[in-house]
Amino acid sequence: MLDTGFFLRWMHASAVAVDREAAHLTELDSPIGDADHGTNLQRGFAAVTAVLEKDAPDTPGAVLVLSGRQLISTVGGASGPLYGTLLRRTGKALGEAAEVSQQQLAEALRAGVTAVAQLGGAQAGDKTMLDALEPAVEALGESFSAAREAAEQGALATVPMLARKGRASYLGERSIGHQDPGATSSALLMAALAEAGAGVEEAS
Ligand code: ADP
Ligand code: MG
């Protein structure tokens, strides 16, 4: 089972990964965006780390709802409300249980990803974070490492895509040939999930 500590580890590993990769994320956001994705997420996850320490939420759902709310209120770019919605909706779907199964997490994350698609009006193939998140959620039923791998492949697969949502879509054909920054950060969050899950994988 996955306890509150697991979810705190996930958020902590996400903050560390975003910090480490901030320059790279911003670099990806230069040719097809406004060069702020790394700094946006760095600010957001620093705030997440701070609020988790201060408020010490004591259920898996509460960790994610609080983190999502913090991202929404501290990140100005499109990615703030989108990632905030992902975590908040996933957290709400987990309810108030003290521990959840890997299967419950996979289902809750599916609800979170659906909420992101509704909020942003994007679908798979539009060259957004959904191109990493959707395959990752599918693979999460199998294992954490499968989800990480699927997200990485999904992010790489955005390179030849034409952007249909967000700032990159303003570039039309010129968005082709660049990896989507949001899909790349989603792969980082899935890698952080796998890191948090190392050693707690359940036999299914
Ligand atoms: P902004 O575009 O406002 O500068 P960021 O640079 O932080 O915000 O985030 C850009 C990323 O957000 C994109 O790479 C893309 O993955 C994601 N994104 C933008 N719009 C949407 C949308 N409508 N649906 C899903 N993801 C989106
Ligand atoms: Mg940007």
Side-chain angles (χ1 to χ4, degrees):
M1 296 292 275
L2 308 172
D3 61 8
T4 304
F6 167 89
F7 287 88
L8 291 171
R9 288 202 301 281
W10 179 20
M11 291 299 101
H12 179 68
S14 297
V16 169
V18 159
D19 228 22
R20 189 187 63 227
E21 296 295 322
H24 179 227
L25 293 173
T26 286
E27 198 180 297
L28 291 175
D29 197 32
S30 301
I32 58 168
D34 55 352
D36 65 355
H37 190 56
T39 45
N40 279 345
L41 290 190
Q42 214 173 11
R43 182 171 58 250
F45 275 95
V48 165
T49 301
V51 82
L52 290 176
E53 259 177 43
K54 183 169 79 66
D55 288 8
D58 61 358
T59 63
V63 170
L64 296 187
V65 169
L66 183 63
S67 300
R69 201 184 298 147
Q70 196 70 352
L71 287 179
I72 291 170
S73 62
T74 55
V75 178
S79 61
L82 292 164
Y83 277 133
T85 295
L86 176 72
L87 296 184
R88 227 162 55 108
R89 189 60 79 86
T90 302
K92 279 191 179 169
L94 292 177
E96 294 180 353
E99 293 186 329
V100 300
S101 68
Q102 209 167 308
Q103 205 50 47
Q104 282 172 306
L105 172 59
E107 281 160 24
L109 206 54
R110 187 184 303 275
V113 171
T114 300
V116 170
Q118 278 167 357
L119 177 65
Q123 55 186 31
D126 286 347
K127 198 180 181 101
T128 71
M129 57 175 69
L130 288 174
D131 289 304
L133 292 174
E134 286 194 352
V137 163
E138 287 306 314
L140 189 57
E142 197 184 314
S143 68
F144 288 122
S145 51
R148 166 175 50 197
E149 183 61 27
E152 264 166 32
Q153 293 306 318
L156 289 175
T158 63
V159 174
M161 290 178 186
L162 174 82
R164 294 201 175 80
K165 290 287 167 191
R167 266 175 212 285
S169 67
Y170 307 158
L171 293 175
E173 301 272 324
R174 281 181 295 135
S175 65
I176 294 173
H178 301 281
Q179 187 168 322
D180 181 62
T184 308
S185 57
S186 286
L188 291 179
L189 300 195
M190 292 302 113
L193 183 68
E195 212 179 301
V200 299
E201 193 98 49
E202 288 169 16
S204 53

